[in-house]
Amino acid sequence: MSQDNVIRIFDTTLRDGEQAPSASMNVDEKLRIAHQLEKLNVDIMEAGFPIASDGDFEAVKKIAQTIKGCEIAGLCRANFKDIDRAWDALQYAGDRGRIHTFIATSDVHMQYKLKMSEDEVVERAVAAVRHAAAYTPNVEFSAEDAARSRLPFLARVVEAVIDAGARTVNIPDTVGYTIPSEFIKIITYLRENVPNIERTILSVHCHNDLGLAVANSLAAIEAGVRQVECTINGIGERAGNCSMEEVVMALNVRQDILPYKTNVDTRHIYPSSKLLSSITGIMVQPNKAIVGANAFAHEAGIHQHGVMMEKSTYEIMTPESIGLHQNKLVLGKHSGRHAFNQRLESLGYELKPEDLEKTFVRFKALADQKKEIFDEDLDAIVADEIIRAPEKFKLIQMNVTSGSFAAPTATVEMEINNKISKVAIIGDGPVDATFKAIKKLVKSKAKLLHFAVGAITGGTDAQGECTVRIEENGREVIGQGAHPDIIVASAKAYINALNRLETRKDTRQHATL
Ligand code: KIV
Ligand code: ZN
């Protein structure tokens, strides 16, 4: 077992993270996140579950073909069909391709889900690892629900898969059930009772059902594991996974008692968090550690005073160390292309020349309406123009009349599959009329579940930001839009959600976990 002081960061935002409700992403969006993970310099990124759907397969293949700076993992159950499909997609990464196969080892999973005996589980695990190892030596095995497994059986499985060729063995707390002191005992038990444990890298994968995923991962590191599985913003199944930014910054900030290092370039943490939120529409709560809007805000007068005198009075890390530059007031209507590009770069965006042009035009239009443009405005422009680029349905123009005596009426013109159509509809209010018009043009049956508007910055000239959640045939997606006119922002958010619904129609067709 590797006893160096390097903690490998295995990011599973694109696989476990994508299993979070409303977090599904299309191939292009996954590729964007993959490039960001490469900048973060994670050691391994789990790009998907190739047998789950054609979209998952394509995403893993594309990422394996494109990303050169990290290992690329693909998940598969412990059967030959899953493994063959995974390798079909991963082979393009060569020796950086990692097959990650798993089977459950807890009594409850074996009895009710797998309906298999202990011997059958061991046999299946060994056969899967051997089959994977025939493709690549880079094989990881996970004992699903390990934290609730009987330890002698868990040790038996771990020993057998190491003998079969598993270079990394992962001990998941699949249901977020364990606590740090217990997890230390589990890891220590394995280190003391698995004779060939030195031949593998031990890993953990903690879910956050009790809010302990990061604490459990750190405890496991202290007990000897050298790989941590995690996700940006901690997204994932149910309460999510161990948050990448939290575990990495804990290791960075507490070097005094955690003398380990990761290869992560922490300056890309904040842009990564924002990119993921823009793509999935899932925002982090303001008090979220490291990346929440209030993580570096000092409200109490006594705190503000302390920070002005000496930052370390109330700040245990600098905002710059996670790539957050608090230079709020940025640009105005006289700012040129150069200043605009520079500001985008400092926010972590590297845009293609044609995308820069598009965002610059939008910036100029906004600067005509709004005196001061803040970083948040630029984020919203990039998200709106580039990250959430319209696909099938596009808003061309709209006009809404409303007030205390006129019936609210929306006239909406859209491009749908390259054809322009227009409709005018009366509604209960301006947003209702707008959504009805869009729904009619798109011929959508989606149900609106949630609608929220907010202001991106302060002031009455602030851009409005709207978030909607819609559902059709059991698929839920989130859409977002920003504009100085909140009704236009609402229309954009609704259209964004409808586009996302379209591109997610292929997800998880073939297999689920
Ligand atoms: O939570 C879990 O056990 C998993 C495994 C497939 C690694 O996600
Ligand atoms: Zn998981």
Side-chain angles (χ1 to χ4, degrees):
M1 206 178 102
S2 174
Q3 269 314 292
D4 58 24
N5 70 343
V6 179
I7 306 303
R8 285 96 182 144
I9 296 296
F10 177 113
D11 183 280
T12 181
T13 305
L14 296 173
R15 198 278 298 170
D16 208 315
E18 207 217 5
Q19 287 168 219
S22 320
S24 62
M25 295 173 244
N26 65 25
V27 177
D28 285 346
E29 290 166 339
K30 285 187 182 175
L31 202 57
R32 261 179 208 281
I33 299 282
H35 280 296
Q36 190 62 33
L37 290 169
E38 192 178 28
K39 280 197 214 160
L40 270 164
N41 205 27
V42 301
D43 299 281
I44 307 109
M45 67 175 83
E46 187 160 55
F49 180 23
I51 203 147
S53 72
D54 296 338
D56 258 44
F57 179 86
E58 277 314 312
V60 177
K61 180 172 161 190
K62 194 88 194 244
I63 290 169
Q65 286 169 331
T66 317
I67 301 293
K68 303 286 173 227
C70 343
E71 290 182 29
I72 314 296
L75 185 70
C76 30
R77 291 165 298 189
N79 68 58
F80 292 1
K81 206 166 152 228
D82 278 32
I83 293 168
D84 294 341
R85 184 77 172 148
W87 188 250
D88 277 351
L90 289 168
Q91 57 180 310
Y92 302 94
D95 57 5
R96 289 176 301 100
R98 175 181 295 199
I99 299 178
H100 179 193
T101 183
F102 74 97
I103 193 164
T105 53
S106 64
D107 286 346
V108 63
H109 277 237
M110 290 192 292
Q111 187 181 342
Y112 296 106
K113 185 179 84 172
L114 298 174
K115 300 185 184 5
M116 285 166 79
S117 68
E118 285 188 353
D119 287 351
E120 284 168 329
V121 166
V122 176
E123 203 180 300
R124 187 75 87 75
V126 166
V129 170
R130 284 213 184 105
H131 190 69
Y135 286 121
T136 171
N138 197 349
V139 177
E140 171 168 337
F141 173 81
S142 283
E144 191 189 10
D145 206 17
R148 290 194 300 170
S149 302
R150 273 176 301 105
L151 290 182
F153 179 60
L154 182 62
R156 179 180 161 203
V157 175
V158 171
E159 182 180 350
V161 296
I162 295 172
D163 270 344
R167 206 152 81 173
T168 304
V169 173
N170 185 34
I171 308 299
D173 179 19
T174 302
V175 291
Y177 179 70
T178 197
I179 63 170
S181 54
E182 181 189 52
F183 211 30
I184 288 175
K185 284 189 195 138
I186 295 173
I187 301 298
T188 308
Y189 180 92
L190 293 175
R191 291 189 63 192
E192 288 172 355
N193 291 279
V194 175
N196 54 5
I197 198 86
E198 298 304 325
R199 293 189 355 226
T200 199
I201 291 181
L202 264 189
S203 164
V204 287
H205 172 112
C206 296
H207 279 270
N208 205 30
D209 301 64
L210 292 174
L212 291 171
V214 174
N216 288 333
S217 304
L218 291 173
I221 289 172
E222 292 199 89
V225 317
R226 289 295 177 267
Q227 175 178 290
V228 168
E229 303 199 353
C230 48
T231 59
I232 301 171
N233 295 343
I235 66 164
E237 279 280 349
R238 306 179 312 279
N241 287 73
C242 169
S243 139
M244 184 272 299
E245 57 279 5
E246 292 177 26
V247 78
V248 166
M249 289 314 287
L251 290 171
N252 260 33
V253 170
R254 296 311 308 271
Q255 279 291 298
D256 53 337
I257 52 168
L258 296 168
Y260 311 100
K261 76 182 261 314
T262 71
N263 293 315
V264 170
D265 182 345
T266 62
R267 293 167 307 168
H268 292 288
I269 283 181
Y270 190 68
S272 306
S273 163
K274 279 197 311 185
L275 178 68
L276 183 68
S277 292
S278 318
I279 287 179
T280 58
I282 303 173
M283 298 291 144
V284 297
Q285 81 266 23
N287 61 326
K288 161 87 172 67
I290 318 292
V291 291
N294 297 344
F296 292 92
H298 303 283
E299 197 64 29
I302 196 162
H303 288 204
Q304 288 173 351
H305 181 71
V307 170
M308 267 156 63
M309 295 295 129
E310 165 57 42
K311 281 197 160 98
S312 63
T313 49
Y314 287 99
E315 269 184 17
I316 58 167
M317 62 196 130
T318 64
E320 292 76 22
S321 66
I322 61 145
L324 170 60
H325 301 280
Q326 288 173 312
N327 180 5
K328 291 269 184 188
L329 176 60
V330 279
L331 304 165
K333 90 194 245 181
H334 300 297
S335 307
R337 264 192 181 71
H338 187 64
F340 176 74
N341 292 356
Q342 264 191 340
R343 194 66 210 149
L344 284 187
E345 270 174 27
S346 80
L347 287 173
Y349 299 114
E350 276 169 34
L351 302 188
K352 291 187 261 170
E354 61 272 25
D355 290 341
L356 264 177
E357 194 49 39
K358 263 198 254 172
T359 45
F360 186 67
V361 169
R362 177 84 184 266
F363 155 70
K364 280 289 177 186
L366 184 63
D368 274 338
Q369 294 175 278
K370 195 172 181 283
K371 219 164 63 220
E372 296 162 331
I373 309 283
F374 297 87
D375 284 348
E376 290 88 338
D377 291 313
L378 297 186
D379 287 333
I381 290 176
V382 175
D384 233 32
E385 284 297 324
I386 312 300
I387 299 171
R388 300 194 287 263
E391 290 145 289
K392 195 169 166 189
F393 314 127
K394 189 173 172 184
L395 177 68
I396 303 292
Q397 54 182 342
M398 60 179 285
N399 188 50
V400 177
T401 49
S402 68
S404 53
F405 54 83
T409 310
T411 309
V412 177
E413 187 175 64
M414 289 180 69
E415 186 184 307
I416 298 167
N417 288 332
N418 303 320
K419 220 178 122 235
I420 307 282
S421 339
K422 189 171 166 181
V423 72
I425 285 203
I426 293 177
D428 290 337
V431 174
D432 183 56
T434 304
F435 284 14
K436 277 185 176 145
I438 293 168
K439 209 167 168 182
K440 175 134 200 211
L441 288 172
V442 168
K443 299 187 182 59
S444 167
K445 294 201 170 34
K447 205 164 118 203
L448 180 67
L449 301 178
H450 178 77
F451 166 75
V453 272
I456 289 179
T457 57
T460 49
D461 66 349
Q463 289 198 82
E465 187 173 46
C466 177
T467 305
V468 300
R469 184 141 44 86
I470 60 173
E471 183 267 328
E472 192 182 45
N473 297 330
R475 271 192 192 84
E476 267 184 38
V477 292
I478 292 175
Q480 288 180 309
H483 196 273
D485 181 319
I486 54 164
I487 309 297
V488 179
S490 308
K492 283 174 155 236
Y494 193 48
I495 293 170
N496 175 238
L498 291 167
N499 274 317
R500 290 172 66 81
L501 208 50
E502 280 302 296
T503 56
R504 272 144 197 82
K505 287 198 168 152
D506 81 318
T507 52
R508 304 272 178 251
Q509 296 153 324
H510 309 312
T512 48
L513 288 181

